[in-house]
């Protein structure tokens, strides 16, 4: 993941472990007082290659990793442990089996989602993917991919539902969702599908690690009335907080502190526009309207 704004192109998306190891390589180089050029000479490559290794933009070749760590003065045990981790980091994530229906720019999102300790999302249009029911997810994805064959649509739905398993893990991340009331009025799949979806939101909002805030229409204009976004925070100190935001044909991953802080502040401000009790009351009212 590169610093600042990352577009939709590029090589295969990095796993979180690869990102961590890239940062550790950078720290090890800097701790040894070596420049990018010094590291490049050791491998007989360009300094750009070293930078891309450290930014997790390319796979961590074990031979490269071993040679770099020798250059930085690491001992044999550290080298062997690092190389083993690098080999694991290069293994594709479970979502790789869905690569036929998973854009490369979104596979990075799934990796971040899987490795995060905290996720905060803002959704102005639809229920966030981690909380969608099967029928609702199918309706949303059919609208987003109207030309898909039924087989491809089914695989997109399967991928979305499989992502939700992270909320059932013993070490499940904290998920804090802020959505607009408009989400509940946008009928996806018909009244029965909407009622089932709202019941799902009421159910998961009872979990200790899940919060669902619904910003009512009466809140008026507010700071977050913009594109959907997700904020990721990780346990590993090597990883910065990251924000994902969507555009029509792709996405951007932001890790500059000013960008991340702006989105975090917006999420905090929006959460103050409602309360748990008010959100649940609104969800219950809408559930009755769809009955």
């Amino acid at each position: 993941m590169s610093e600042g704004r990352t577009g939709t192109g590029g090589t295969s998306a990095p796993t979180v472990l690869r990102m961590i190891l890239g940062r550790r390589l950078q720290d090890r180089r800097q701790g040894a007082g070596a420049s990018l050029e010094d590291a490049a000479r050791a491998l007989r490559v360009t300094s750009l290659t070293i930078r891309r290794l450290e930014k997790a933009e390319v796979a961590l070749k074990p031979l490269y990793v071993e040679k770099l760590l020798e250059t930085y003065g690491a001992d044999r045990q550290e080298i062997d442990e690092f190389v083993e981790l690098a080999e694991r980091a290069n293994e594709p994530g479970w979502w790789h089996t869905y690569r036929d229906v998973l854009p490369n720019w979104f596979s990075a999102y799934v990796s971040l989602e899987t490795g995060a300790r905290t996720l905060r999302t803002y959704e102005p249009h639809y229920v966030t993917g981690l909380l969608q029911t099967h029928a609702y997810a199918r309706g949303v994805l059919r609208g987003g991919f109207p030309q898909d064959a039924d087989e491809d649509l089914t695989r997109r739905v399967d991928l979305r539902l499989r992502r939700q398993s992270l909320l059932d893990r013993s070490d499940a991340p904290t998920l804090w969702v802020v959505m607009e009331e408009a989400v509940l009025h946008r009928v996806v799949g018909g009244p029965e599908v909407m009622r089932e979806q709202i019941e799902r939101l009421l159910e998961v909002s009872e979990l200790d690690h899940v919060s669902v805030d619904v910003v009512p229409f009466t809140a008026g204009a507010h700071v977050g009335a913009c594109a959907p976004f997700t904020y990721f925070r990780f346990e590993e100190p090597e990883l910065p907080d990251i924000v994902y935001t969507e555009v029509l044909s792709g996405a951007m991953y932001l890790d500059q502190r000013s960008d991340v802080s702006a989105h975090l502040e917006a999420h905090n401000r929006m959460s103050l526009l409602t309360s748990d009790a008010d959100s649940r009351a609104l969800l219950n009212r809408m559930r009755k309207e769809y009955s």
Side-chain angles (χ1 to χ4, degrees):
M1 198 70 61
S2 66
E3 290 289 325
R5 294 173 172 80
T6 300
T8 61
T11 58
S12 61
T15 62
V16 167
L17 179 55
R18 199 168 92 198
M19 294 168 62
I20 293 170
L21 294 181
R23 297 269 177 162
R24 289 181 183 174
L25 272 180
Q26 181 182 42
D27 291 344
R28 200 67 177 79
R29 174 178 60 77
Q30 293 174 342
S35 66
L36 289 169
E37 291 72 21
D38 293 333
R41 280 193 293 272
L43 295 185
R44 297 184 179 180
V45 297
T46 66
S47 57
L48 177 60
T49 298
I50 303 300
R51 185 182 297 277
R52 296 185 72 196
L53 283 169
E54 295 179 351
K55 298 296 184 184
E57 294 174 356
V58 293
L60 294 169
K61 296 182 180 180
L63 289 177
Y64 278 11
V65 170
E66 183 172 6
K67 183 62 176 178
L68 286 174
L69 290 175
E70 288 175 350
T71 302
Y72 304 154
D75 60 34
R76 190 70 247 170
Q77 181 178 350
E78 180 183 356
I79 293 173
D80 290 343
E81 291 174 352
F82 205 111
V83 168
E84 181 180 352
L85 289 173
E87 291 173 343
R88 284 175 46 198
N90 290 332
E91 295 173 358
W94 61 262
W95 52 90
H96 184 69
T97 58
Y98 291 91
R99 61 189 179 277
D100 56 322
V101 294
L102 180 64
N104 184 57
W105 53 264
F106 194 70
S107 64
Y109 181 100
V110 181
S111 177
L112 295 173
E113 182 180 73
T114 302
R117 285 302 308 143
T118 300
L119 298 102
R120 293 193 185 194
T121 71
Y122 168 64
E123 290 288 349
H125 306 305
Y126 299 105
V127 173
T128 189
L130 287 178
L131 301 183
Q132 291 179 5
T133 64
H134 183 281
Y136 185 92
R138 190 171 184 86
V140 170
L141 290 167
R142 171 55 76 194
F145 299 92
Q147 305 303 320
D148 261 8
D150 286 344
E151 181 181 355
D152 290 339
L153 181 64
T154 296
R155 284 184 56 73
R156 291 187 195 277
V157 174
D158 289 346
L159 169 62
R160 181 157 298 185
L161 297 182
R162 186 170 176 185
R163 285 169 45 209
Q164 297 177 4
S165 64
L166 70 87
L167 295 177
D168 298 324
R169 296 183 332 210
S170 59
D171 61 341
T174 298
L175 173 64
W176 185 356
V177 178
V178 174
M179 68 174 68
E180 298 286 351
E181 182 180 347
V183 171
L184 306 178
H185 292 269
R186 186 185 302 276
V187 181
V188 175
E192 184 175 347
V193 171
M194 292 301 296
R195 184 176 64 252
E196 179 189 39
Q197 179 60 73
I198 292 172
E199 288 172 349
R200 166 68 173 161
L201 293 175
L202 286 164
E203 176 187 341
V204 297
S205 66
E206 295 284 354
L207 299 174
D208 291 338
H209 60 290
V210 178
S211 297
V212 178
D213 291 338
V214 183
V215 178
F217 286 139
T218 54
H222 60 80
V223 66
C226 56
F229 67 83
T230 301
Y231 160 93
F232 302 95
R233 172 163 287 180
F234 307 89
E235 278 188 339
E236 295 80 6
E238 296 90 347
L239 291 182
D241 296 347
I242 294 172
V243 167
Y244 162 95
T245 185
E246 296 181 349
V247 295
L248 181 61
S249 59
M252 295 171 64
Y253 295 85
L254 313 174
D255 60 10
Q256 286 187 354
R257 184 171 298 179
S258 59
D259 292 327
V260 173
S261 296
H263 285 80
L264 187 57
E265 181 179 359
H267 198 277
N268 286 334
R269 287 181 178 274
M270 287 186 290
S271 70
L272 296 176
L273 298 174
T274 186
S275 67
D276 289 345
D278 289 342
S279 293
R280 290 190 64 81
L282 180 53
L283 286 168
N284 276 307
R285 187 174 76 244
M286 292 302 300
R287 177 176 59 175
K288 291 178 182 178
E289 289 191 15
Y290 287 117
S291 297

